[in-house]
Every structure is written in structure tokens, then in C-alpha cells.
Amino acid sequence: MNTEPTHHSDFQSILAHLMALSDRADLPAFVEREPLVLSDDFLAAAQTLAADPSAAVLRERLAWLMDIRQQADQEVPAALQAVLAATTLEELRQVADRWSFTLTDAFIEAVEHLAQQFADAGEQDAAEGLRQRLVALAQLRVYRETWTETPQGKAIFAFLNAEDDAAALSVFHAHRDLLDHPEAQRTLDEVVQGGDPESQRRLERRRALLRYLRSEEHA
């Protein structure tokens, strides 16, 4: 698993946070926040420090990391197949919920490489399908890092991905204070993109529905 080179300041910061973990149960969330912790560069540098006889805690943390990395490497093929099978943004979100590493640089670079292999082999449809999924994965990554982590963002995401208009209406009534707001409309209109055609159509329907519901509230 390769990622971008780890700069010295990044290494020191990630190492400090790694050493500050109080329990192995905290490690998955930490890896999701700091995917560079599984990079070749980071692990090699950390293993050099762990050779010090006094670095027992670091050796323990590295053993945890190697377990997670081995598990991720084993699951990459399954995650890739799930990404290939996903046809909507919601399905990709479910893939990312199951395999958080699908939003890391390393995984996205692997998908880019596979798309190029398809293109070089003359399989343009397969290459284009993968590139569409890359766009959607990048969008999900932005969502996770920014607005979807806020209460309003979560309400917008639930409204956008509701099964049908009736379910979206229920979400609106449940989160009226968050969705009956100009910022929620701006997020749907300006920030969120649909990715594949079906997701784009769903997005347009939800944008129109939110405008309608908000206008009814203020009629």
C-alpha cells in the first residue's frame, strides 16, 4: 500500500497522535483520520525508531497497524469489486461506510491505475465507468471531511438519499429546523454534485422538492 511521501513534520505529528492512543479500539478511527499512518514511508520510519530497546509502546502500536494494514490489503479486492458494482452515489456511500479506506489516496490511485489499464487496452467504456466512480469517491471524501459531519450536513445527506419523495418529506419534517434554511438549499444547489446520471437525476429531484417544501413553509 503506497501513499504520498511522509514529510518530517507530518511524521512527527502522526507519530505523536499514534503514541497518545489509549486503547487499540481507538485505532480504526485514527487510521481513517490519518491514512498516511499506513503508508510505506511512515511504517519504515516508525520501524527504525522501534528498534530502540526502550520503544516497547511504539512496537505495540506498529503491531496494531500491521494487523489493520494486512486486513485492508486482503479486503481491497472485495472493495474494488463493490466500487465497480455501485451504480449510484448512495451505493458508493455504503461501500465507503463498510470500507473506509476506499476514500484514501492509496485506494483512489489504485482505481486510477486500473482505469488507465482499461483505457490502454481499448476498453473505453470500462475506463470511463471507473473514472465516474472516482469523481463520486472524491465527492464523498469532501462530504466526509466537511459538511456531512455537521448536523445540517447529515440532515441534507439523509434528505438527498431518502428512498423516495415520501421518505424525503419525512426527513424534512423531522429536521425542519435544519432543512428549512437558505444554507441547506445552497448546499444542494451549489455544493453537491450528482456524479453518475442516476444520482444527478435524484439530486435534481431533491433540489426541486426542497425548494417546493421551503416555499410551502413560507407561503
Side-chain angles (χ1 to χ4, degrees), residues 54 75-76 115 178:
S54 65
E75 292 183 343
V76 164
L178 297 170

Side-chain angles (χ1 to χ4, degrees), residues 89 93 138-161 179 183-184 186-188 190-193 203:
L89 187 62
R93 184 189 69 78
Q139 291 167 359
L140 281 172
R141 184 171 177 172
V142 171
Y143 298 164
R144 296 291 170 87
E145 292 174 350
T146 55
W147 62 272
T148 54
E149 295 307 312
T150 68
Q152 186 180 63
K154 292 176 181 178
I156 292 169
F157 206 76
F159 180 82
L160 173 61
N161 291 289
L179 294 174
E183 185 62 31
R186 279 195 295 272
T187 298
L188 276 180
E190 300 173 7
V191 178
V192 185
Q193 300 298 319
L203 173 58

Side-chain angles (χ1 to χ4, degrees), residues 4 16-18 21 28 32 37 48-49 53 76-77 90 99 103-104 106 125 133-134 139 172 191 209:
E4 297 175 358
H17 285 94
L18 175 65
L21 295 178
E32 186 169 352
V37 78
T48 298
L49 294 178
V76 164
E90 172 60 15
W99 293 290
L103 300 183
T104 65
D125 289 345
R133 286 159 178 77
L134 282 171
Q139 291 167 359
F172 179 83
V191 178
L209 179 60

Side-chain angles (χ1 to χ4, degrees), residues 28 31-32 75 95-104 107 144:
V31 170
E32 186 169 352
E75 292 183 343
V95 172
D97 285 344
R98 180 173 180 182
W99 293 290
S100 60
F101 62 79
T102 56
L103 300 183
T104 65
F107 185 84
R144 296 291 170 87

Side-chain angles (χ1 to χ4, degrees), residues 112-201:
E112 288 174 342
H113 181 67
L114 182 59
Q116 188 58 51
Q117 287 182 321
F118 278 130
D120 292 343
E123 299 182 38
Q124 296 302 328
D125 289 345
E128 181 59 28
L130 276 178
R131 287 172 179 144
Q132 289 178 358
R133 286 159 178 77
L134 282 171
V135 171
L137 286 173
Q139 291 167 359
L140 281 172
R141 184 171 177 172
V142 171
Y143 298 164
R144 296 291 170 87
E145 292 174 350
T146 55
W147 62 272
T148 54
E149 295 307 312
T150 68
Q152 186 180 63
K154 292 176 181 178
I156 292 169
F157 206 76
F159 180 82
L160 173 61
N161 291 289
E163 183 177 358
D164 52 32
D165 287 350
L169 181 61
S170 296
V171 172
F172 179 83
H173 289 315
H175 302 285
R176 190 191 310 269
D177 58 327
L178 297 170
L179 294 174
D180 185 19
H181 194 284
E183 185 62 31
Q185 190 73 59
R186 279 195 295 272
T187 298
L188 276 180
D189 289 347
E190 300 173 7
V191 178
V192 185
Q193 300 298 319
D196 60 273
E198 177 56 33
S199 293
Q200 186 62 42
R201 286 191 290 271

Side-chain angles (χ1 to χ4, degrees), residues 40-53:
D40 293 336
D41 286 346
F42 179 89
L43 291 171
Q47 284 167 347
T48 298
L49 294 178
D52 188 319

Side-chain angles (χ1 to χ4, degrees), residues 6-107:
T6 307
H7 298 294
H8 180 73
S9 59
D10 295 332
F11 174 79
Q12 293 296 335
S13 174
I14 296 172
L15 183 64
H17 285 94
L18 175 65
M19 297 295 288
L21 295 178
S22 58
D23 191 272
R24 181 168 180 161
D26 298 329
L27 191 61
F30 174 70
V31 170
E32 186 169 352
R33 291 195 309 271
E34 300 286 359
L36 282 176
V37 78
L38 294 182
S39 70
D40 293 336
D41 286 346
F42 179 89
L43 291 171
Q47 284 167 347
T48 298
L49 294 178
D52 188 319
S54 65
V57 174
L58 178 56
R59 287 193 292 276
E60 177 188 53
R61 300 296 192 273
L62 282 174
W64 296 354
L65 287 175
M66 294 309 295
D67 285 345
I68 284 186
R69 175 163 167 165
Q70 182 178 18
Q71 180 182 12
D73 287 344
Q74 291 171 344
E75 292 183 343
V76 164
L80 183 56
Q81 287 299 318
V83 167
L84 289 169
T87 58
T88 67
L89 187 62
E90 172 60 15
E91 288 175 357
L92 274 177
R93 184 189 69 78
Q94 292 172 4
V95 172
D97 285 344
R98 180 173 180 182
W99 293 290
S100 60
F101 62 79
T102 56
L103 300 183
T104 65
D105 290 338
F107 185 84

